[in-house]
Amino acid sequence: MNKVYTKVTDQLHFFEGNDPVELAKEYGTPVYVYNERILRQRCRDLKQLVTYPKFVVDYSAKANSSLAFLQIVKSEGLEVDAMSPGEIFMERQAGFAPEEIFYICNNVSAQEMQYAVDAGVVISVDSLSQLEQLGQIAPGHEVAIRFNPGVGAGHHEKVVTAGKKTKFGIEPKYIPQVREILKKYDLKLVGINQHIGSLFMTGEAFVASIAVLFEIAKQFPGLRFVDMGGGFGIPYKKEFDEAPLDLKELGTAIDKALYQFAQEYGEQITLRIEPGRYISAECSMILSQVQAVKHNHDKKFVGCDCGFNVLQRPIMYDSYHGVEIYRASEALSEKKEIVTIVGNICESGDILAKDRELPEIFKGDILGILDAGAYGFTMASNYNNRLRPAEILIRENGDVVLIREREVLEDLLRHQIALDM
Ligand code: LLP
């Protein structure tokens, strides 16, 4: 292989000695590639975040819920959150016990809630009406409540999940009504939780929000846990040496807050976080093949087979993903140029990477789209009747295994009922 532009994966030893051009040939493109060693390391980073003894990391499965992925997370001793019956189901398949699953729901039907009650998982509700609904279907049950601490954070307004402009959480001013409903249905409040938003690169907002959450918790003696939420960011601009989140500094600040809270609360209860992206983003990338290179007016477009049905983040949030270039031939890129990398979907917004300065890219090159493991495959779709890709895992010893088959055309017919014409 001719390594045209490979700084990030070289630094990470991402391919563990495998050749990305060969992987693309063997498994086809586009394909999601995972590195088991990096995934395990990210789980360990967060398990060691603080010294507080009753600290639990709930991996947020919405970021990536592939079965093999969840199995690895489970084997690292993490627990999980869930956002839907489907996530509860997948987590049970991966071996998580009901007591290791925290169902944080939002606007769900009585049937969905009943599914969670029957599955035996702890349920968090985030409105008075959903609390009332749980009381009606399962009086006397345990419950957790998601509060809105009034502080939000995140990389895009669509993913700020606390503060004044979001649908999530119960405002602390409704605590008297919460108490009334708990009493009316004899519900036992076992935990409170929050999630302020996704992708913060400094810890101030998170630390400020947990101070508010702890003040709320103090109004409810006898809780089993307080869950501080996720949102821990990763540096998407690694090729420009963007600094990672300073976990040491953040961990020290959080640790201090945890011990202080336990002292004021009078008990060392379980304190949890629920990160998704931090654990899953960096251990994965997409391999995609360049199918066409062209000029349109004054722009140069590189067209590849990774449309936004495969990776939705750029079109949805204007997200940045680093791009690498691997080449089968010995041809050299003589110059750097500004290109826009696009996919194969029928919309102009199908842009993976806009106006990037990269070594010249040729038809047939393999592109690596970095940091794709969080909200990558889980947000993939069949738009344009395209098939969702395969997923492969590079094991710690360098072996490569298929963990999800590429869809086939017949999958597009599943669940469809043709008319009898
Ligand atoms: N807990 C709750 C209740 C959440 O809603 C989320 C994410 C998390 C935890 C995990 O957040 P994380 O640690 O991954 O930031 N699709 C968007 C991100 C949406 C996040 C939704 N909630 C993206 O691709 O950036």
Side-chain angles (χ1 to χ4, degrees):
M1 176 193 54
N2 177 358
K3 292 169 150 207
V4 183
Y5 189 67
T6 58
K7 175 176 165 184
V8 176
T9 49
D10 283 351
Q11 271 172 3
L12 292 169
H13 300 290
F14 187 92
F15 293 107
E16 311 283 10
N18 292 283
D19 176 341
V21 172
E22 289 302 318
L23 292 178
K25 213 182 280 170
E26 182 167 354
Y27 295 97
T29 55
V31 60
Y32 274 87
V33 187
Y34 296 91
N35 178 301
E36 179 171 357
R37 174 181 50 82
I38 300 172
L39 169 56
R40 289 188 181 278
Q41 188 55 52
R42 292 297 169 267
C43 293
R44 291 170 199 172
D45 291 348
L46 289 187
K47 274 193 82 178
Q48 293 157 6
L49 182 69
V50 294
T51 66
Y52 181 82
K54 290 175 93 176
F55 178 69
V56 174
V57 182
D58 280 344
Y59 165 62
S60 192
K62 57 185 73 63
N64 193 312
S65 54
S66 298
L67 188 60
F69 191 99
L70 290 176
Q71 287 176 307
I72 296 171
V73 172
K74 162 85 184 134
S75 75
E76 285 294 325
L78 273 60
E79 300 189 5
V80 270
D81 80 2
M83 195 70 193
S84 65
E87 286 187 358
I88 296 174
F89 173 78
M90 286 306 298
E91 290 163 357
R92 295 287 287 125
Q93 297 294 314
F96 289 94
E99 53 278 12
E100 294 172 322
I101 301 174
F102 185 29
Y103 182 46
I104 305 174
C105 59
N106 175 245
N107 306 330
V108 298
S109 67
Q111 287 82 350
E112 280 199 15
M113 234 177 227
Q114 187 68 53
Y115 178 91
V117 170
D118 295 344
V121 305
V122 177
I123 302 173
S124 159
V125 295
D126 82 337
S127 63
L128 296 176
S129 65
Q130 292 262 290
L131 184 60
E132 183 97 31
Q133 176 172 299
L134 181 66
Q136 283 163 1
I137 65 172
H141 208 69
E142 294 187 341
V143 65
I145 291 182
R146 175 170 177 176
F147 282 100
N148 180 340
V151 185
H155 69 87
H156 190 283
E157 65 173 12
K158 287 181 184 150
V159 301
V160 175
T161 48
K164 295 196 170 65
K165 289 189 193 157
T166 151
K167 65 174 180 164
F168 294 104
I170 296 181
E171 267 187 81
K173 73 176 185 195
Y174 293 113
I175 287 177
Q177 287 89 326
V178 165
R179 288 192 197 284
E180 272 170 37
I181 301 172
L182 290 174
K183 194 156 167 238
K184 180 171 164 195
Y185 295 102
D186 192 26
L187 293 168
K188 181 167 171 22
L189 186 69
V190 293
I192 66 168
N193 57 301
Q194 70 168 17
H195 172 67
I196 61 168
S198 198
L199 209 169
F200 53 76
M201 292 307 286
T202 59
E204 292 87 4
F206 186 81
V207 173
S209 74
I210 62 177
V212 181
L213 190 70
F214 289 159
E215 284 309 310
I216 300 169
K218 283 190 230 158
Q219 300 177 48
F220 296 101
L223 294 176
R224 209 157 62 214
F225 66 87
V226 174
D227 174 350
M228 301 172 275
F232 299 76
I234 64 117
Y236 281 98
K237 294 192 173 166
K238 289 185 179 59
E239 73 252 51
F240 304 116
D241 301 317
E242 182 186 357
L245 188 60
D246 188 340
L247 276 192
K248 201 154 182 247
E249 188 184 273
L250 181 58
T252 307
I254 296 175
D255 218 12
K256 195 168 151 217
L258 303 192
Y259 281 109
Q260 193 185 332
F261 166 69
Q263 197 179 26
E264 289 165 9
Y265 197 69
E267 201 187 336
Q268 281 200 343
I269 62 170
T270 299
L271 297 171
R272 331 169 75 99
I273 53 171
E274 53 192 40
R277 185 188 320 270
Y278 185 87
I279 288 177
S280 58
E282 294 175 304
C283 64
S284 175
M285 51 110 70
I286 299 165
L287 293 176
S288 170
Q289 186 163 39
V290 176
Q291 309 296 345
V293 178
K294 75 172 185 189
H295 284 90
N296 237 0
H297 299 280
D298 53 356
K299 251 188 186 317
K300 181 158 183 184
F301 286 94
V302 171
C304 69
D305 55 16
C306 180
F308 72 79
N309 64 306
V310 175
L311 182 68
Q312 215 182 115
R313 300 194 68 254
I315 190 169
M316 185 87 145
Y317 316 109
D318 272 330
S319 301
Y320 184 98
H321 286 264
V323 174
E324 293 195 344
I325 309 164
Y326 324 110
R327 182 168 297 152
S329 77
E330 292 306 314
L332 291 178
S333 300
E334 306 265 313
K335 54 180 192 269
K336 282 199 160 191
E337 46 186 20
I338 309 273
V339 293
T340 289
I341 302 173
V342 295
N344 50 10
I345 294 290
C346 63
E347 294 195 28
S348 303
D350 185 26
I351 295 173
L352 265 174
K354 199 173 186 172
D355 297 332
R356 295 282 174 89
E357 188 178 8
L358 288 166
E360 192 179 8
I361 297 174
F362 301 139
K363 180 169 164 35
D365 282 352
I366 300 298
L367 303 181
I369 298 143
L370 304 180
D371 299 318
Y375 309 101
F377 195 95
T378 50
M379 290 174 71
S381 78
N382 287 123
Y383 186 43
N384 279 192
N385 271 340
R386 291 211 161 272
L387 306 175
R388 289 188 302 165
E391 294 179 295
I392 59 176
L393 174 72
I394 305 176
R395 310 278 338 228
E396 287 173 291
N397 64 2
D399 286 356
V400 179
V401 291
L402 184 67
I403 59 168
R404 186 193 299 261
E405 292 172 347
R406 184 178 305 285
E407 287 180 340
V408 292
L409 289 174
E410 287 68 26
D411 290 322
L412 299 172
L413 279 173
R414 275 195 84 204
H415 307 299
Q416 299 222 42
I417 301 166
L419 290 176
D420 205 5
M421 310 234 344

